[in-house]
Amino acid sequence: MKKRILVVEDEEKLRRVLQLQLTSAGYDVDLAGTAEEGIRIVDRADLVLTDLKLPRMDGLQFLSKVRLQNAHVPVIMMTAFGSVETAVEAMKAGATDFLLKPFGFDHLQQVVAKALEVRALRDENRQLKAELGRRYEFDNIIGRSPNMQEIFATIERVAPTRATVLLAGESGVGKDLIARAIHFHSPRRDRPLVKINCTAIPENLMESELFGYEKGAFTGANTSKPGKFEQADTGTVFLDEIGDVPAAIQVKLLRILQEREFERLGSNTTRHIDVRVVAATNRDLREALEQGAFREDLYYRLNVVPLNIPPLRERKQDIPFLANHFIHKLAPDSGSRVESITEAGMEKLVAYHWPGNVRELENVIERGLVMCTETALDAADIRLESAPRPRGNSDSHFLPDGMTLDQYEQDILKEALRRADGNKSQAARLLGLTRNALRYRLTQMGMEA
Ligand SMILES: Nc1ncnc2c1ncn2[C@@H]1O[C@H](COP(=O)(O)OP(=O)(O)O)[C@@H](O)[C@H]1O
Ligand SMILES: [Mg+2]
């Protein structure tokens, strides 16, 4: 695969020469005349070749910004004879190498090739280490199943970059947890992590919440206010329930992802920001694409690194480890003596289909701890929230014994709301209803709060 080199140099002539030389040496080349331009496209670079003296930003500042976007990329500084000391400083600050101007083509090629080689070795080393120290836990995320192992490896690989990550999976599979892990393993860990729950914000307030507003932008806007994206500048934005974003906001998100720019509501001033985006969805976005509810261009921008987190019923080998993890996490605070689970208890947990995934398992254990007076949780202490899934008996295609249709419908509505964490739009989708149709049924059943 061809390596891509980003050349940042304000002097046009030198820029062209470098482009010619590097292209002829078999590299793909991106050019930038300013540090700002360079930062914008540094995510895809395999190596950065930059002038130490750039307009408006010195080489050291530039270096630290590059590291935020692309933690491991080699950076070679080009410097004029007089500024060797700064070059030394740059090396201390993490530059890979430097070139004294003027330099010949051969020397350039050598330095570049060496930096890329060292990078490749380091990458390999990191990978080997990751394989050796097979992780069954990633921070506090538990996972023994091959699926989860793969997810941990991906987190490790993408966290250091600015790449956009799209987490897909049912409610309760651990999307929030994984989004946090990505942020805290990135070079942005000391910067803000701002979570935006796209279903929790009413549509008419969404733009001002996300992008901020200027004084007088609407009635009641007595002061100016930055939005969530501005709060997250230099950090990470976690866009939860991205599938529910209205079309008008989708356009603006696309612009943030593409151009890293936006305007506050009521303002003509374009603002630039540097955020890493992690998005999550529990609906199939491709389906939303087909129905035209989600923009295709936004989908592809978000889906740079897709992470699909399987439901718990598809990785049952994780259940015992998760159960023990929750006992140790929750027992001390609940004043419980429980330290383990009996074999019968564990069998019951493993047999269940966990419609609410890990969140439900955590709740079941928490309640079990309260019930149990012994030191081991037994099957009787484990109260499952819904009946085990009926097994393909054709008789079961009728109402359960002694139940009326209304009661049955109520149960189904409750279950849908529970699976959707109380979110009505989502519950409606699970049932194949519109939100209004669901509302209507809930009211009819006297269930609408
Ligand atoms: N693999 C895991 N290991 C440990 N705890 C987990 C794991 N997955 C989920 N949890 C816990 O389950 C609950 C639900 O997880 P969350 O990340 O909020 O799910 P989602 O965002 O997908 O709905 C949280 O309390 C979380 O800490
Ligand atoms: Mg969540």
Side-chain angles (χ1 to χ4, degrees), residues 113-186:
K114 188 180 115 204
L116 284 171
E117 199 179 319
V118 170
R119 165 79 201 266
L121 283 172
R122 289 228 172 103
D123 280 352
E124 200 177 320
N125 194 14
R126 241 193 306 275
Q127 209 173 333
L128 283 175
K129 258 200 210 146
E131 275 166 26
L132 275 177
R134 247 180 184 289
R135 298 234 215 172
Y136 293 127
E137 278 187 47
F138 194 93
D139 295 348
N140 45 358
I141 315 176
I142 311 295
R144 290 260 168 160
S145 53
N147 285 330
M148 290 304 288
Q149 297 290 304
E150 212 168 289
I151 287 170
F152 294 166
T154 310
I155 298 176
E156 209 150 35
R157 211 173 52 238
V158 301
T161 71
R162 191 175 62 171
T164 305
V165 179
L166 180 61
L167 307 172
E170 291 176 12
S171 183
V173 291
K175 297 186 294 296
D176 271 63
L177 212 52
I178 291 172
R180 293 175 56 80
I182 292 171
H183 175 74
F184 286 107
H185 283 263
S186 83

Side-chain angles (χ1 to χ4, degrees), residues 170-177 195 197 238 240-241 280 282 359 421:
E170 291 176 12
S171 183
V173 291
K175 297 186 294 296
D176 271 63
L177 212 52
K195 175 175 168 175
N197 186 334
F238 175 39
D240 203 6
E241 311 284 4
N282 55 14
R359 177 178 293 117
D421 275 345

